[in-house]
Amino acid sequence: MRSMEFNGSFIMLTLLGFLISGKAEIYIVTVEGEPVISYKGGVNGFEATAVDSDSDKKIDVTSEIVISYAHHLEKRHDMLLDMLFDQGTYKKLYSYRHLINGFAVHMSPEQAEILERAPGVKSVYRDWKVRKLTTHTPQFLGLPTGVWPTGGGFDRAGEDIVIGFVDSGIYPHHPSFASHRTDPYGPVAKYRGKCEINPETKKDYCNGKIIGAQHFAEAAKMAGAFNAEIDFDSPIDGDGHGSHTAAIAAGNNGIPVRMHGYEFGRASGMAPRARIAVYKALYRLFGGFVADVVAAIDQAVHDGVDILNLSVGPNSPPATTKTTFLNPFDATLLSAVKAGVFVVQAAGNGGPFPKTLLSYSPWIASVAAAVDDRRYKNHLTLGDGKNLAGICLSPATHGNRTFTLVAANDVLLDASVAKYSPSDCQRPELLNKNLVEGKILLCGYSFNFVTGTASIKKVSQTAKALGAVGFVLAVENASPGTKFDPVPVSTPGILITDVTKSAKLIDYYNISTPRDWTGRVKSFKAVGSIGDGLRPILYTSAPQVALFSSRGPNIKDYSFQDADLLKPDILAPGSLIWAAWTPNGTDEPNYVGEGFAMVSGTSMAAPHIAGIAALLKQKHPHWSPAAIKSALMTTASNVDRADRPLQAQQFSGSDIVSLVPATPFDCGSGHVSPRAALDPGLIFDAGYEDYLGFLCTTPGIDPNEIKNHTNSPCNFTLGHPSNLNTPSITISHLVGTQTVTRTVTNVAGEETYVIKARMAPAIAIETNPPAMTLRPGASRKFSVTLTVRSVTGAYSFGEIWLKGSRGHKVRIPVVAMGYDR
């Protein structure tokens, strides 16, 4: 028999003993009692640590009051475990004290069941995995001429703003993160993070530009997934993903992107002077575990980051929660926003299919990926005059001459090597150099390229080793949605991605290549030449929503019921993005050993928004996270560079990619416009209490579940979740007529705004008042009334414009589906 005092009540617990029979797993446990962020007093001997969520004041985590209360919580976690279980039968991995009150523990399923029934325990979640949601863009976004000058130029853009990256670490020796190239970095008083020490060099991983560097792997280790030799038990990036995202947001300006003797341009982060704080919780082979990610987020907010970038999302929903907005991950992020941190998350790479988003909650800025205006093309010219389009960042074959084409399967050293899939040209020792030298080598794009066990880089190395003048990689069949990106190589080369064009190549080769009765080639007569694929082509049809970018509608639960909240929030460049890489990186097999990589994914879109948010935070240091998000969304563009409505890449038929008009489910409010976001005119602000009201108003969410995750009761509701003061309006089930309200706050000079709205014919829309005048700092409400005209079984889209007398233009998207009842 053991006893303990927990939250003021004396609890007697008797354990009759149990058998630890199940395989131990990791569990995330939340317990009663307020975390530091929301503790308002009430425990004897401990003063309140919370600050008013509406104030600019932040919690001083170095104060004795906070340190003492945080230690008290950790002691309670240890006492609870020690009371229930014998030492050595479990291992506590982390205590979460600042944003949520709980801990991560490695124990058997039987122990987890006992823990779940223990007094004072609110929830027990089995840990689940997360995955990565894997430069020209500063110019494309207008930063050098339109935004950086307002902050003192690129050498001051983002000054003293700290961006935290929960990712795969960083390669600190990359020039994108060097501190000797710029004015010296001084200390940032508000940041309290630490830099881990390299045990080999006895030096830390920071340099002024990199202001913090820590790693979190306790859950990965206990799960048996961690390998110190390849994952690195340090903040060092063993993958490439983390270095890439950090460089996109805050990398140094003007860094030459050189590969294979060619300069592809100069790279820069969105906020080149911002500081980088590294919280490594993702690893190259298995992704990561929520227990480690939550510990990283908790530490980042404790340390004082201004912005948190999460290019990460869940592999699958946690089995023990029904609501997308309520789990330890999203609840931790809600507390981060309460602490004043702007949180950015990649929307996911499940597009172009609906309801594939991995970022759900209103307190998070969820970012979709766009294709920008830079594309790379190349071509193969055959001896019969046909030009076959393809891709590859490679030089052309020499001069205006053609070269003989030889297929890998026709130049095998002997028939026995056929078992090694020689056609994908990964192993030069299987091919006859005498037959390949001075010719163009034809290779087949096998499934090995999809799985990552084969790479275009290796094809190039094979061609070079055999003395070939170049290579052609032909795709003979491909699954719908297979993504082909151009890859930089040192030898002339091309990837033919169109199956029909590959068939033309194969037909020409077979017709031109005489064989004997056994099938052996008598002579190679097919010829061709490879064009120059190094120079990009700029398109006015940009931006477009990338095919892979996850789509809405947003869901409120794991039965996939639609939510009354628009996601994604905004669109940013995320396709073919050049940025820093680590020589250890294996995330992209084509860039192993390289210093830069050109990668696509919403993982690349999110840090664009994180860096631009740093520029807003620099200019408006007292803005709330919701105000920053509002400025980005209401000024976003819904037209491309040619002033045509935004388009989205989509499938037409089985596997043909076409362009369709983009909807808010594709791009949210539209494509980010940094210059306009600096001066939005009006903002739609919201805070912690508003988000609680949204949760308490959303049908189907148990108020007890809300209290378990937020430590707050449902004291009020919004009437309808669509009344949350977001810069968008979504009603997933509109019956008859419904009126929603919004409140805007003027962050510019006195201005009169005229309010206009338009909607697809199935839904009528009215706004009131028709106009309003706001003084600086003043707030005003307006209402929007939606009425079903006809039931179509599909969503209707529209928008509301607030046009100011001083030139400000504020736009919010409107989404609704009408029903009879």
Side-chain angles (χ1 to χ4, degrees):
M1 181 186 295
R2 296 176 180 172
S3 64
M4 70 174 290
E5 189 178 351
F6 201 79
N7 287 337
S9 62
F10 195 69
I11 304 163
M12 302 293 292
L13 292 172
T14 301
L15 299 182
L16 301 177
F18 55 86
L19 181 66
I20 304 174
S21 58
K23 181 183 177 183
E25 297 188 71
I26 300 161
Y27 296 88
I28 299 173
V29 183
T30 60
V31 297
E32 289 181 0
E34 301 278 356
V36 168
I37 188 75
S38 56
Y39 173 60
K40 297 179 180 178
V43 178
N44 289 336
F46 298 97
E47 296 181 38
T49 56
V51 296
D52 188 344
S53 60
D54 294 328
S55 74
D56 292 330
K57 186 179 178 184
K58 289 194 173 185
I59 293 173
D60 179 7
V61 297
T62 63
S63 71
E64 184 58 37
I65 293 171
V66 171
I67 293 171
S68 176
Y69 182 68
H71 178 71
H72 162 75
L73 294 180
E74 184 165 4
K75 187 177 178 182
R76 288 290 157 191
H77 302 161
D78 294 337
M79 288 176 63
L80 174 63
L81 289 167
D82 185 52
M83 176 200 70
L84 291 172
F85 312 113
D86 292 331
Q87 289 284 338
T89 64
Y90 67 89
K91 182 177 180 181
K92 190 190 76 171
L93 308 180
Y94 301 105
S95 270
Y96 306 127
R97 304 164 299 171
H98 299 97
L99 303 181
I100 59 174
N101 180 19
F103 52 87
V105 61
H106 187 248
M107 58 172 43
S108 72
E110 291 80 8
Q111 288 174 302
E113 287 183 21
I114 292 171
L115 187 58
E116 193 168 22
R117 294 194 296 268
V121 173
K122 296 198 297 186
S123 65
V124 177
Y125 288 94
R126 189 173 63 192
D127 196 9
W128 68 104
K129 280 188 173 183
V130 294
R131 62 174 182 262
K132 297 160 289 182
L133 299 171
T134 292
T135 254
H136 168 81
T137 45
Q139 286 74 25
F140 178 67
L141 294 170
L143 293 173
T145 57
V147 178
W148 289 346
T150 66
F154 74 83
D155 54 349
R156 289 291 176 266
E159 184 81 66
D160 290 342
I161 303 299
V162 180
I163 307 177
F165 296 88
V166 177
D167 215 300
S168 66
I170 199 163
Y171 183 62
H173 311 298
H174 197 282
S176 289
F177 312 125
S179 56
H180 64 272
R181 296 172 173 266
T182 62
D183 289 344
Y185 286 98
V188 179
K190 66 187 176 187
Y191 184 73
R192 299 164 293 272
K194 68 178 182 179
C195 292
E196 293 182 15
I197 303 295
N198 185 330
E200 295 179 2
T201 64
K202 308 303 180 187
K203 296 180 180 179
D204 63 40
Y205 294 97
C206 298
N207 61 4
K209 171 72 173 175
I210 302 171
I211 198 171
Q214 302 171 61
H215 80 293
F216 302 81
E218 293 304 311
K221 290 175 182 177
M222 291 307 300
F226 188 85
N227 183 335
E229 289 188 8
I230 61 174
D231 293 317
F232 300 110
D233 206 358
S234 75
I236 287 288
D237 186 3
D239 180 276
H241 192 270
S243 300
H244 202 268
T245 56
I248 291 170
N252 290 328
N253 180 62
I255 304 303
V257 180
R258 293 194 184 98
M259 289 182 69
H260 310 304
Y262 186 82
E263 185 173 308
F264 289 94
R266 291 178 177 259
S268 173
M270 301 295 100
R273 188 69 178 176
R275 309 298 183 95
I276 294 169
V278 177
Y279 299 87
K280 177 178 171 180
L282 302 180
Y283 297 88
R284 61 166 80 176
L285 295 179
F286 57 87
F289 292 84
V290 170
D292 290 328
V293 171
V294 168
I297 294 168
D298 191 69
Q299 188 65 50
V301 177
H302 167 274
D303 292 345
V305 301
D306 296 294
I307 293 158
L308 198 57
N309 183 82
L310 297 164
S311 291
V312 57
N315 281 4
S316 58
T320 48
T321 184
K322 298 184 181 69
T323 307
T324 52
F325 314 124
L326 288 177
N327 60 69
F329 184 73
D330 282 62
T332 301
L333 294 177
L334 175 57
S335 291
V337 170
K338 183 180 182 182
V341 177
F342 180 73
V343 178
V344 187
Q345 187 182 18
N349 295 338
F353 308 107
K355 296 189 180 183
T356 49
L357 293 160
L358 296 175
S359 180
Y360 315 103
S361 296
W363 45 88
I364 300 167
S366 308
V367 188
V371 177
D372 67 16
D373 61 345
R374 185 196 60 211
R375 321 277 167 83
Y376 290 95
K377 301 284 186 182
N378 203 348
H379 64 275
L380 170 69
T381 302
L382 299 178
D384 62 1
K386 288 188 176 74
N387 269 321
L388 305 182
I391 55 173
C392 210
L393 277 67
S394 80
T397 47
H398 304 298
N400 294 319
R401 54 169 294 198
T402 59
F403 296 86
T404 302
L405 306 177
V406 295
N409 280 340
D410 288 330
V411 292
L412 303 182
L413 281 174
D414 60 67
S416 66
V417 302
K419 61 184 178 182
Y420 296 112
S421 302
S423 64
D424 60 14
C425 300
Q426 299 297 291
R427 301 176 65 173
E429 67 274 14
L430 304 181
L431 306 179
N432 189 328
K433 183 175 182 179
N434 293 329
L435 295 177
V436 176
E437 195 165 17
K439 302 177 180 67
I440 295 175
L441 179 63
L442 302 186
C443 310
Y445 192 92
S446 68
F447 186 69
N448 294 335
F449 289 89
V450 179
T451 62
T453 55
S455 70
I456 298 173
K457 179 177 182 174
K458 186 64 179 174
V459 175
S460 175
Q461 292 172 343
T462 296
K464 191 172 185 178
L466 296 173
V469 298
F471 68 88
V472 178
L473 192 56
V475 178
E476 295 181 65
N477 52 69
S479 301
T482 302
K483 186 165 64 76
F484 300 103
D485 288 343
V487 174
V489 293
S490 58
T491 55
I494 187 169
L495 171 65
I496 308 294
T497 60
D498 188 322
V499 173
T500 60
K501 290 182 171 60
S502 293
K504 290 179 181 179
L505 167 63
I506 294 166
D507 286 346
Y508 166 70
Y509 178 80
N510 287 335
I511 291 169
S512 307
T513 307
R515 302 172 185 272
D516 63 21
W517 66 273
T518 66
R520 188 185 299 272
V521 174
K522 290 181 178 180
S523 60
F524 295 99
K525 301 289 187 182
V527 296
S529 62
I530 298 170
D532 183 356
L534 291 171
R535 303 184 188 282
I537 302 168
L538 301 182
Y539 287 75
T540 58
S541 59
Q544 298 168 357
V545 181
L547 184 72
F548 58 79
S549 186
S550 288
R551 310 298 211 263
N554 193 15
I555 57 172
K556 66 181 180 181
D557 58 35
Y558 295 113
S559 299
F560 286 81
Q561 292 189 65
D562 292 8
D564 294 302
L565 176 73
L566 180 64
K567 290 287 176 174
D569 292 306
I570 198 164
L571 185 68
S575 179
L576 307 182
I577 305 299
W578 278 112
W581 204 245
T582 172
N584 307 310
T586 58
D587 189 46
E588 292 285 340
N590 289 308
Y591 294 98
V592 173
E594 304 293 352
F596 292 91
M598 185 171 62
V599 188
S600 300
T602 53
S603 279
M604 286 64 246
H608 279 90
I609 295 299
I612 294 166
L615 302 177
L616 269 67
K617 185 75 173 177
Q618 180 186 17
K619 184 175 181 181
H620 306 284
H622 301 297
W623 276 11
S624 69
I628 293 173
K629 181 179 170 183
S630 172
L632 292 166
M633 291 178 65
T634 60
T635 58
S637 173
N638 62 349
V639 296
D640 65 18
R641 297 189 74 172
D643 277 335
R644 295 173 300 225
L646 282 180
Q647 294 183 301
Q649 295 180 349
Q650 184 59 264
F651 285 131
S652 62
S654 60
D655 59 354
I656 300 171
V657 177
S658 62
L659 294 173
V660 299
T663 76
F665 291 152
D666 303 319
C667 62
S669 290
H671 193 271
V672 63
S673 301
R675 184 174 187 175
L678 287 173
D679 181 22
L682 302 174
I683 58 168
F684 294 74
D685 211 351
Y688 184 73
E689 297 298 326
D690 300 294
Y691 297 131
L692 282 180
F694 169 81
L695 293 172
C696 294
T697 309
T698 299
I701 301 183
D702 184 347
N704 291 323
E705 190 180 2
I706 296 171
K707 188 173 183 181
N708 280 349
H709 284 91
T710 66
N711 296 292
S712 300
C714 283
N715 290 329
F716 79 102
T717 72
L718 303 175
H720 191 277
S722 294
N723 285 321
L724 178 65
N725 202 45
T726 58
S728 63
I729 295 173
T730 301
I731 303 178
S732 63
H733 195 103
L734 176 64
V735 178
T737 297
Q738 185 174 326
T739 299
V740 298
T741 59
R742 288 293 183 269
T743 301
V744 291
T745 301
N746 187 10
V747 292
E750 182 172 328
E751 194 164 3
T752 298
Y753 285 86
V754 174
I755 307 176
K756 294 186 176 180
R758 64 181 182 184
M759 197 79 189
I763 306 288
I765 186 168
E766 294 180 9
T767 57
N768 188 51
M772 55 189 181
T773 300
L774 292 92
R775 292 182 176 179
S779 297
R780 288 283 303 274
K781 290 182 182 293
F782 69 93
S783 64
V784 180
T785 300
L786 298 172
T787 302
V788 178
R789 281 177 170 159
S790 61
V791 176
T792 64
Y795 275 97
S796 296
F797 304 104
E799 59 187 8
I800 297 168
W801 280 95
L802 294 88
K803 296 186 178 181
S805 55
R806 299 179 59 195
H808 289 109
K809 296 179 180 178
V810 178
R811 184 181 61 85
I812 68 170
V814 182
V815 178
M817 186 187 288
Y819 288 84
D820 290 323
R821 53 186 174 85

